[in-house]
């Protein structure tokens, strides 16, 4: 057994603390992206207070979690955003945060550039306004590009450009690569998952099987393009892609939502995958003692994928993608490169699909003009 396989086996049994901790600071958002995995829009009045958030940061630091992924919603909408980021950095907890860029004016860019241990990824979903705005809303692309311009002008350093792969954006890979090069930025591509509002648009927006094969080949030649664990299901096509290459839910990743609920994975914000709440006994207690998380760390059956010679490469695919398309967790990934997921989906009787709970969507986004 190779070193990579040994490390993967260790990750599957779970670690003392997550490697990738995502924390949605707020459900408030001034956009209404059609694929939003957390169905964000309206602020939850019960979100963690500034004091509670700082206490959580202190606990994260005590667990020696070296960085936290902050998102939302739009995290910069919280009035205490900078206060919380600066508190985390002061505790030697690095911050990576995702933003739509609408709040990064010149002054904010300069302030961000002055904070150590800070990483920013600006989200767009097309290499041009027409493509991106169809997903994220009119004017959102221009605001994101303005944020990138401001970060570059402030000498922030190497920020990230984050793109969800849709049927349209996957045809613009070279353009995204050129955009990132122009800013001196890193390109990060993520999988479109049928989570949150994405449940309703997944069939329409997801790349075709042929596009996924081309994406796989494109990524193989560009190990510098970041993907995290987004496309490990494509590794069944041959050589494994860079990244985790397994479902880390409850093992090395988890999510804390704005009200302190802990979920096994950022893509399964659903009561069935709720592990506890940090207000009850703290995050460490949830991570260590949750029955749900412990069960996910137990050796699992490959299920329907057991007879496939590529199981060790893709590990059965994404738990969230299965759950939100109505498949069982032992079924193949709905985007299995050999078509087994499509076959499994075709056998399912039509029924209502699970959706992110609770849903914080708003019908009309607020203004995307910066403050």
């Amino acid at each position: 057994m190779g070193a990579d396989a040994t490390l993967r086996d260790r990750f599957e049994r779970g670690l003392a603390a997550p490697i990738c901790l995502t924390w949605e600071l707020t459900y408030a958002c001034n956009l209404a992206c059609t694929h939003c995995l957390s169905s964000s829009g309206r602020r939850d009045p019960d979100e963690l207070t500034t004091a509670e958030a700082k206490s959580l940061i202190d606990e994260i630091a005590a667990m020696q979690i070296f960085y936290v992924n902050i998102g939302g919603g739009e995290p910069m909408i919280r009035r205490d955003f900078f206060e919380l980021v600066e508190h985390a950095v002061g505790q030697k907890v690095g911050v990576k945060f995702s933003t739509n860029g609408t709040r990064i004016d010149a002054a904010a860019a300069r302030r961000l550039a002055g904070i150590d241990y800070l990483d920013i990824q600006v989200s767009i979903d097309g290499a041009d306004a027409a493509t991106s705005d169809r997903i994220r809303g009119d004017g959102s692309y221009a605001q994101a590009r303005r944020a990138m311009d401001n970060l570059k002008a402030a000498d922030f350093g190497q920020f990230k450009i984050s793109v969800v792969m849709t049927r349209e954006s996957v045809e613009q890979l070279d353009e995204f690569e050129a955009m990132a090069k122009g800013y001196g930025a890193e390109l990060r591509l993520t999988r479109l998952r049928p989570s949150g509002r994405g449940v309703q648009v997944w069939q329409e927006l997801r790349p075709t099987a042929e596009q996924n094969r081309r994406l796989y080949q494109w990524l193989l030649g560009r190990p510098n393009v970041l993907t995290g664990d987004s496309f490990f299901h494509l590794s069944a096509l041959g050589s494994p892609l860079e990244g985790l290459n397994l479902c880390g839910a409850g093992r090395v990743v988890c999510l804390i939502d704005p009200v302190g609920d802990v979920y096994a994975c950022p893509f399964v914000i659903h009561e069935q995958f709720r592990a506890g709440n940090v207000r009850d006994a703290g995050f460490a207690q949830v991570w260590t003692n949750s029955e749900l998380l412990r069960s996910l760390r137990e050796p699992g059956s490959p299920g329907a994928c057991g007879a496939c010679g590529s199981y060790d490469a893709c590990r059965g695919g994404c738990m969230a993608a299965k759950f939100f398309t109505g498949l069982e967790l032992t079924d193949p990934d709905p985007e299995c490169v050999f078509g087994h997921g499509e076959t499994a989906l075709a056998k399912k009787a039509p029924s209502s699909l699970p959706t992110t709970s609770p849903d914080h969507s708003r019908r009309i986004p607020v203004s995307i003009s910066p403050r």
Side-chain angles (χ1 to χ4, degrees), residues 62-311:
M63 292 175 71
Q64 296 186 320
I65 300 173
F66 298 113
Y67 76 88
V68 59
N69 293 297
I70 286 178
E74 171 48 51
M76 293 187 74
I77 285 179
R78 273 193 65 138
R79 294 182 178 180
D80 58 2
F81 170 78
F82 279 104
E83 184 178 353
L84 295 180
V85 169
E86 289 164 353
H87 182 74
V89 170
Q91 294 290 78
K92 306 300 183 186
V93 176
V95 173
K96 300 185 178 185
F97 84 92
S98 300
T99 176
N100 58 36
T102 57
R103 296 295 178 106
I104 303 181
D105 57 18
R110 289 192 297 271
R111 185 170 182 180
L112 292 168
I115 301 175
D116 292 330
Y117 309 114
L118 180 65
D119 189 21
I120 300 174
Q121 60 181 38
V122 181
S123 297
I124 57 173
D125 285 312
D128 56 75
T131 303
S132 190
D133 285 1
R134 274 194 288 274
I135 303 294
R136 306 183 67 82
D138 290 344
S140 59
Y141 176 83
Q143 292 283 7
R145 291 299 298 266
R146 171 182 168 276
M148 296 179 204
D149 292 339
N150 287 334
L151 289 171
K152 184 176 181 180
D155 292 324
F156 174 83
Q158 194 177 48
F159 60 88
K160 293 177 175 61
I161 299 173
S162 182
V163 187
V164 175
M165 288 288 91
T166 67
R167 200 162 296 182
E168 286 191 279
S169 65
V170 77
E171 297 295 337
Q172 300 178 324
L173 292 170
D174 292 340
E175 289 90 335
F176 289 123
E177 185 177 36
M179 183 189 300
K181 183 178 180 181
Y183 281 109
E186 290 184 287
L187 179 60
R188 182 176 185 269
L189 305 183
T190 62
R191 181 181 179 183
L192 173 68
R193 285 176 169 91
S195 305
R197 287 197 291 270
V199 170
Q200 306 303 321
V201 299
W202 181 75
Q203 285 287 4
E204 171 192 348
L205 295 181
R206 67 181 176 122
T208 65
E210 188 273 333
Q211 286 177 321
N212 272 327
R213 287 176 178 269
R214 282 194 279 121
L215 171 62
Y216 168 77
Q217 293 297 331
W218 192 87
L219 288 170
L220 275 183
R222 294 166 175 82
N224 59 308
V225 173
L226 307 175
T227 61
D229 64 350
S230 290
F231 303 107
F232 68 93
H233 66 298
L234 300 184
S235 291
L237 290 168
S239 301
L241 294 170
E242 296 289 325
L244 186 58
N245 276 311
L246 64 85
C247 174
R251 301 178 176 98
V252 296
V253 306
C254 72
L255 173 134
I256 302 173
D257 85 346
V259 300
D261 284 333
V262 179
Y263 294 90
C265 169
F267 304 107
V268 286
I269 304 176
H270 187 277
E271 184 61 30
Q272 184 169 326
F273 296 96
R274 181 183 176 274
N277 189 285
V278 301
R279 281 173 164 149
D280 296 332
F283 174 67
Q285 277 288 100
V286 177
W287 178 258
T288 304
N289 298 322
S290 161
E291 291 186 13
L292 169 68
L293 300 187
R294 284 184 170 184
S295 69
L296 291 172
R297 295 163 190 160
E298 293 295 323
S301 166
C305 298
C308 178
S310 296
Y311 175 73

